[in-house]
Amino acid sequence: MGTVVDDAASVEFHAFFERHYAELSRLAYLLTGESDTADDLAADALLALWHRWDRVRAADHPAAYARGVVANLARSRIRSAVRERRRIALFWSQREENTENPDVAGVVDVQGALRRLPFRKRACVVLRHAFDLSEKDTALALGVSVGTVKSQTSKGMAELQRLLGTQGVPQRMHAAVGAPRCSPVVESLRARTGEGGGRDR
């Protein structure tokens, strides 16, 4: 009896995996700007979901739960990267660094502009305008209020328009932000959660 239940849970999880991996990887990519990191974060998130699958499958919105896990992992990754950059900068503080031409602001692309937003604004803008989620679903994924989503999205879009120009920022986001390439991490995750392989997307 237990085996049948376990098998059913495994089948259900792998259906969820196939349906949402690409989306979660793309979300991680938009939040971190790193394709390899995005693959890893999506895989880590899905592995964490597998370990608590009974809780996830019982949730009202499993996909929103998964997006929240990815957002939390991305936030931790960014904080870790910032600390590492500060350590490196401190180590090389006596060495003169090349500075970027201040005129490059006029040609900042969408992904570069997104990386300049604070994390919460970036997450709200990405979920609302790249993933077309409602304010309610965005709030659910990030664990914040709808009011916070509204204000952070509005401020984030205003900053993007300042960086990119006023014309069609949401459309430019859709056009400029593709899904990151898939990595062997996916097959490793499938193996760890009991699936024998197959195509990743």
Side-chain angles (χ1 to χ4, degrees), residues 76-93:
S76 296
R77 165 70 184 183
I78 290 167
R79 287 174 177 168
S80 176
V82 168
R83 286 194 297 269
E84 182 64 20
R85 282 196 294 270
R86 285 175 180 165
R87 283 195 292 268
I88 292 171
L90 189 61
F91 183 79
W92 292 102
S93 59

Side-chain angles (χ1 to χ4, degrees), residues 166-186:
T166 57
Q167 67 280 13
V169 171
Q171 292 81 1
R172 291 180 66 183
M173 285 182 63
H174 278 286
V177 184
R181 65 176 180 78
C182 187
S183 76
V185 171
V186 178

Side-chain angles (χ1 to χ4, degrees), residues 64-75:
Y65 189 105
R67 293 183 195 113
V69 173
V70 169
N72 286 332
L73 289 173
R75 183 185 294 110

Side-chain angles (χ1 to χ4, degrees), residues 140-151:
L140 191 63
L142 298 177
V144 299
S145 69
V146 170
T148 296
V149 170
K150 288 180 179 179
S151 66

Side-chain angles (χ1 to χ4, degrees), residues 38-118:
D39 286 334
D40 291 341
L41 290 182
D44 288 346
L46 284 160
L47 186 60
L49 294 177
W50 169 245
H51 287 313
R52 62 186 85 153
W53 185 241
D54 286 344
R55 188 191 316 169
V56 176
R57 71 197 300 201
D60 292 335
H61 303 282
Y65 189 105
R67 293 183 195 113
V69 173
V70 169
N72 286 332
L73 289 173
R75 183 185 294 110
S76 296
R77 165 70 184 183
I78 290 167
R79 287 174 177 168
S80 176
V82 168
R83 286 194 297 269
E84 182 64 20
R85 282 196 294 270
R86 285 175 180 165
R87 283 195 292 268
I88 292 171
L90 189 61
F91 183 79
W92 292 102
S93 59
Q94 294 181 336
R95 177 178 175 180
E96 184 177 352
E97 300 290 338
N98 292 327
T99 58
E100 292 186 4
N101 186 335
D103 294 330
V104 299
V107 292
V108 172
D109 65 8
V110 172
Q111 294 173 21
L114 278 172
R115 287 194 289 274
R116 295 175 68 173
L117 297 181

Side-chain angles (χ1 to χ4, degrees), residues 2-12:
T3 302
V4 173
V5 173
D6 290 345
D7 287 347
S10 179
V11 169
E12 187 179 43

